[in-house]
Amino acid sequence: MEAVAKLINNPRTNNNAGSPRKARYVVDVIRGLDIDKALNILKYTDKKSAAPVEKVLRSAIKNWEQKFEQDAADSNLYVKECFVDAGKTMRRFQPAPHGRAYRIRKRTNHITVKVASRNAASAETKETKE
């Protein structure tokens, strides 16, 4: 029993502004935590990418509630999987000395979060052992 959410800022593209490397620092902190603890950490994290990750996590929780028609507070949800992939890179040029140009890379990322219920996960492991 899991639900997935992906960050889509623009209907034509799902690129989120910011480098994927910087966003991975935030995502690594919440991986495997309960949703209450993860939301609390994201709320007080001082990184720019914490707000989009929190938005995706809240969306995944709502997706889970709609999919299974249960309350998330009663279901013992946790962040099962979350990752950040690289998106498109916009290339810009900055003037440099002697008529040259330096390339500036404006990186983007894709954020994906999966939440699952610990109750369902423990039930599945019991079934496989039997």
Side-chain angles (χ1 to χ4, degrees):
M1 295 176 66
E2 68 180 25
V4 180
K6 296 180 182 182
L7 182 64
I8 298 176
N9 283 347
N10 186 338
R12 285 182 249 137
T13 176
N14 56 351
N15 296 321
N16 179 39
S19 133
R21 181 177 178 180
K22 293 176 184 177
R24 284 186 192 114
Y25 288 129
V26 176
V27 169
D28 288 343
V29 172
I30 65 164
R31 189 176 291 122
L33 295 178
D34 292 335
I35 57 168
D36 296 332
K37 194 170 186 179
L39 286 171
N40 198 20
I41 288 172
L42 290 172
K43 184 177 180 181
Y44 294 106
T45 300
D46 233 6
K47 296 280 190 180
K48 179 186 169 190
S49 58
V53 172
E54 182 180 0
K55 181 179 175 181
V56 176
L57 179 58
R58 289 186 187 278
S59 177
I61 294 166
K62 291 293 183 185
N63 290 345
W64 192 90
E65 287 177 347
Q66 286 183 352
K67 186 175 181 179
F68 299 108
E69 298 175 354
Q70 296 177 6
D71 188 27
D74 301 335
S75 301
N76 200 10
L77 290 181
Y78 73 104
V79 181
K80 180 177 182 180
E81 190 177 339
C82 54
F83 52 90
V84 178
D85 296 324
K88 291 184 179 180
T89 302
M90 296 186 294
R91 291 176 178 85
R92 302 290 183 258
F93 293 99
Q94 182 176 11
H98 298 282
R100 289 187 297 250
Y102 291 147
R103 183 177 291 162
I104 295 176
R105 294 176 197 90
K106 296 189 175 188
R107 300 179 191 272
T108 60
N109 59 50
H110 307 287
I111 301 172
T112 306
V113 176
K114 293 183 183 180
V115 295
S117 174
R118 288 199 195 273
N119 301 338
S122 62
E124 289 175 5
T125 55
K126 288 179 184 177
E127 290 176 5
T128 57
K129 287 181 182 178
E130 293 174 357

